Amino acid sequence: MHKQITYTGMIWLLAAQVVVMLPFLFDLPIWLLPVLLFAAGWRLRVLSGAALQPGNVIKALLIVLGIGGLVLSGLKFPSLDAMATLLLLGFAFKSLEVAQRRDALVVIFIGYFLVALHFLYAQSITAALYGMVSMIVLTGALVGVQQSVAEFSAGQQVRFNLRLSVFMLLQCLPLMLVIFVFAPRLPPLWSLPMPTGQAKMGVSDRMAPGDIEKLSQSDALAFRVTFKGKKPAQHELYWRGMVFNHFDGREWRQFERDIDPQQVQSALLTNYRWQPDALRLQGEPIAYEAVYEKTGQPWLFTLTPAVDVEGDVLRGADYRVMARQDLQAPFLLKAVSYPDSQRDLALAPELRQLALHLPETGDARTRDLAQQLWRETGTEQAYLDRVLARFRDQRFEYTLKPPTLSASDTIDAFLFESQRGFCAHYAGSFVFLMRAAGIPARVVVGYQGGEWNAAGDYLAIHQYDAHAWAEVWLTGQGWVRIDPTTMVAPSRTEQGLEAAMQAEGSFLADSMFSVRKIAWLNGIRQQLDTVQYGWRRWVLGYDGAEQAALLKSLLGTFSVQGVALLMGGGLQRLACCGWCCWG
């Protein structure tokens, strides 16, 4: 039996390697592709008699250069990125010594592993379809390296190999479905640090004038929500993320000093922990499921207060919900919220102190205005109404193109000079005015509203829905949500940002190629988004809990033995079907 790989077989192998490596180039060093092409090109020249087989010295030199490139790429070790790059280097260099069919088989089997590995980087339906294409080409290469050129013409060989590859993979489909549905969801035995070099997306953990305006120019998806019952009114959809208590004169932050998400988690587990006893539940509950996109951050967004929450999350005394790890993959959360509930009727001294903090100096005109209005009103509610009336009655303007404020006294500059701003300007200045009068207040950032997808029956929240609002603590009422932006632009919460910016024409002005601007493409976008959401919800979201619910509906009170019997029976039937077809 002739075991030398043919020239045509090598072409198949090169094509399969390129197809497998291409999607990694979006996440890993792009110089990996030239390395593969160089190695495969050398091998093809060897097969055609134009070059000699590389010696051990050259192979060793290439390995040293590859490892040097890995080090210079700045990838952390150990990490998924570093290990994947190392494996791809071996995958590419293996082409240099492919002479026998068994060498080609090693390359192909590594290729199958790499197809699976790429799903750690992307789990979209597009990535799944590309993975299927990669499997077809790899299996075609598996067939191709077993053939001699004399069997077919080049065109016949391509058609035959691809047809046989598709047929072989289709035969595996029933078994794949059985394994997907019934195989136990086991936790990993070990893990590597996930990719961290990706840019963080979404709402940041600090807010300065101009931050949310920049985010509002992005039509990237933030998360999708499915309601168990009737969808709440648009103006009630305030998706709470973080609470900002500290103001340094220009920037709002969560805490007095910068702390990383791990330290925030520690605070939520100790002196800033969730206090369910501080809640007085009232009103109708809202049950929903949210699937969050990958952001590289742990922040989650829920209706306030989220009382019943399913998922690996933490909750804080300020009613935030956050994941225990940065979101490097879609994240499913199930929650029940009671938006009409009363929160913190008795405010703890440390929380009161946080909610009254102001810089010792700066913004003197705003402080004087607060004292004047307080003397003229005298009660919390009257003072609050008077401040809101100023936003409504004076010449304040809601705009995505606010002027740049001075480096100091930013509140004064906004309230008394520019009077043009976005939600961050209104929320920040409102909270400052409340605190200057001795009323506890804080800034809340998250998202407001969302785009209803009637075809999929869900709400899609995009980055341009990012929003900032305020909360004030009132005697006898606890924390109350106040959105001063609605005094200037009521259409922002009633109809969304696009309607609010219609006159200015600044909605997604920086996104020249956004499909939202073309009506017929926008309809297709929504249909595709429905498919994508179904993939996220029912395929990627098929976790241990979903599996347990399905098995319970199928088997009643199921057991491991029951699952094993079911899988055994299914495999036996598949084997019988295969035997009958073969016969």
Side-chain angles (χ1 to χ4, degrees), residues 267-537:
L268 297 187
L269 290 170
T270 53
N271 55 352
Y272 211 53
R273 68 173 61 184
W274 159 251
Q275 301 287 342
D277 295 339
L279 268 176
R280 179 178 291 177
L281 294 183
Q282 58 186 32
E284 294 296 322
I286 300 175
Y288 53 96
E289 296 180 358
V291 179
Y292 302 90
E293 294 296 300
K294 178 175 65 176
T295 60
Q297 302 187 92
W299 319 125
L300 303 175
F301 305 90
T302 58
L303 300 176
T304 304
V307 178
D308 298 322
V309 180
E310 294 181 27
D312 190 17
V313 300
L314 293 172
R315 284 182 284 178
D318 56 8
Y319 301 95
R320 77 174 67 194
V321 179
M322 83 178 271
R324 291 181 182 271
Q325 297 180 347
D326 292 345
L327 302 188
Q328 302 293 355
F331 184 88
L332 172 66
L333 178 78
K334 299 179 181 179
V336 179
S337 297
Y338 288 78
D340 295 331
S341 297
Q342 290 184 314
R343 295 173 283 145
D344 295 347
L345 290 175
L347 189 61
E350 60 274 16
L351 294 181
R352 176 182 291 274
Q353 185 179 0
L354 278 176
L356 287 173
H357 171 267
L358 282 178
E360 293 183 0
T361 60
D363 296 300
R365 285 189 288 174
T366 303
R367 295 175 196 261
D368 291 342
L369 173 64
Q371 295 304 314
Q372 175 194 336
L373 295 179
W374 180 256
R375 286 194 299 271
E376 293 173 2
T377 53
T379 66
E380 293 176 339
Q381 189 63 55
Y383 176 79
L384 189 155
D385 293 339
R386 185 75 173 274
V387 171
L388 291 177
R390 280 182 63 86
F391 285 124
R392 185 188 60 226
D393 299 335
Q394 294 194 2
R395 301 186 61 180
F396 283 95
E397 184 179 342
Y398 183 65
T399 176
L400 282 173
K401 303 174 181 177
T404 303
L405 301 177
S406 56
S408 60
D409 296 334
T410 56
I411 304 294
D412 280 358
F414 169 65
L415 289 178
F416 299 101
E417 297 169 14
S418 73
Q419 295 192 326
R420 301 177 72 239
F422 201 52
C423 57
H425 295 80
Y426 293 100
S429 58
F430 177 83
V431 169
F432 193 103
L433 280 166
M434 292 298 110
R435 291 184 176 186
I439 299 176
R442 56 195 185 187
V443 174
V444 183
V445 294
Y447 296 86
Q448 200 285 321
E451 177 188 36
W452 183 249
N453 188 315
D457 200 25
Y458 65 86
L459 192 75
I461 295 90
H462 300 84
Q463 297 299 345
Y464 58 73
D465 293 314
H467 193 55
W469 60 93
E471 283 185 343
V472 296
W473 189 88
L474 301 176
T475 305
Q477 299 182 54
W479 287 111
V480 178
R481 184 186 68 226
I482 304 291
D483 189 351
T485 301
T486 59
M487 297 294 104
V488 184
S491 58
R492 168 62 185 87
T493 55
E494 295 288 346
Q495 303 172 49
L497 181 65
E498 185 173 6
M501 293 293 104
Q502 190 171 15
E504 186 176 83
S506 56
F507 178 69
L508 296 180
D510 296 340
S511 303
M512 296 180 59
F513 302 105
S514 174
V515 297
R516 296 183 59 88
K517 297 179 178 179
I518 306 173
W520 64 275
L521 281 180
N522 196 36
I524 295 175
R525 175 190 64 83
Q526 284 204 324
Q527 292 294 334
L528 292 177
D529 193 67
T530 302
V531 176
Q532 181 69 34
Y533 181 54
W535 171 262
R536 289 281 170 86
R537 179 64 188 86

Side-chain angles (χ1 to χ4, degrees), residues 246-258:
H246 284 270
F247 181 59
D248 63 4
R250 180 171 180 78
E251 192 174 70
W252 289 90
R253 297 196 303 267
Q254 299 183 83
F255 299 97
E256 185 174 4
R257 59 184 179 85
D258 285 332

